[in-house]
Every structure is written in structure tokens, then in C-alpha cells.
Amino acid sequence: MAEDPITRHFFNGFIRLHILYHAVKEPVYGAEITEELVRHGYRVSQGTLYPTLHQLEDQGYLKSYSEVVRGRRRKYYRATPAGQKVLAEARTKLLELVAEVIEDHDQPFQNLKQKRGKPGPDKPT
Ligand SMILES: [Zn+2]
């Protein structure tokens, strides 16, 4: 599946939401998040995921720590209070988005259009 620029743009946001969601619940590390995102159908490698994790940490949404598991050092990421807050806000937006785009509830927008007046007869549809 080749991704056009707008799809990549959307998916970059979705991937950040997935990471935050999982990192709010429990500590996560790169390889398992990569596998989880691939399971969701995203085309990501660890190489592309790490800059995203680092960015989320630099922005204060994740905090990392190292731990040795089965003789190997793993870098775990956990959501910070700011990460929890931003996920909670995104959940509200997601609900609205699902209601409108997936369930096709656009009555509020139709009401808004009504209030603003209909376009003239010659306007392209
Ligand atoms: Zn997931």
C-alpha cells in the first residue's frame, strides 16, 4: 500500500495516539510498539518509530527509563501527566470525529449552514 502525503499525515497523528494510549496504560518499549502498530496495519519500522518516541519525550508527553530484561537493556516509555491529559483531550475529539465522519451525524453542520444562508443556484456543488 503506497501512502499518499495526506494519508501519511493522518497516520502520523494516529500513530502518536496509539503510542500515548498504550503508554498511559503501561510502560512500553520500541520493538513491541512497532509490532503492535504493524498489527494495526501501519507501515512502521523501529527506525521510523524511535524519532517519534524521542519527539514525544522531548515534548514532555513521555518519560523513558532503562531496564535490563533477559540480559538486554530496554528503554521503556511511560506517559507523563501531560501525556495523559493530551490523550484525554484527543479522546473527546475522536468521539466527535467518529460521530461525524464514521456515523455520518452532520446535523450540527447542516444547522450552521442553514443559519448562514444557502449558496446561490449557480454555485458548484
Ligand atoms: Zn494498539
Side-chain angles (χ1 to χ4, degrees):
M1 179 182 69
E3 286 168 11
D4 53 274
I6 187 117
T7 302
R8 203 172 318 128
H9 192 76
F10 290 154
F11 287 5
N12 278 336
F14 296 169
I15 284 168
R16 282 166 171 74
L17 276 174
H18 272 291
I19 293 169
L20 276 174
Y21 166 73
H22 288 292
V24 161
K25 293 181 74 131
E26 62 207 319
V28 293
Y29 64 99
E32 69 181 1
I33 280 292
T34 302
E35 195 178 333
E36 169 68 357
L37 290 168
V38 167
R39 184 186 71 76
H40 279 297
Y42 296 103
R43 292 176 54 201
V44 288
S45 64
Q46 281 194 59
T48 56
L49 186 73
Y50 282 119
T52 304
L53 290 171
H54 294 159
Q55 200 181 49
L56 288 169
E57 185 168 26
D58 287 345
Q59 291 165 343
Y61 302 117
L62 296 178
K63 179 114 186 70
S64 68
Y65 61 92
S66 284
E67 210 173 277
V68 176
V69 178
R70 284 185 238 146
R72 291 188 61 184
R73 185 162 293 279
R74 247 179 217 173
K75 198 172 178 183
Y76 280 98
Y77 292 85
R78 193 85 224 250
T80 63
Q84 293 174 25
K85 184 166 176 267
V86 89
L87 180 73
E89 288 165 0
R91 272 197 167 118
T92 305
K93 295 290 180 202
L94 269 175
L95 277 173
E96 286 175 16
L97 193 67
V98 167
E100 186 161 302
V101 176
I102 307 297
E103 295 167 3
D104 199 20
H105 293 161
D106 79 329
Q107 197 53 51
F109 183 60
Q110 294 310 319
N111 296 345
L112 184 152
K113 281 182 82 70
Q114 196 76 39
K115 206 175 73 191
R116 297 185 72 89
K118 289 194 157 59
D122 294 338
K123 297 285 187 296
T125 52

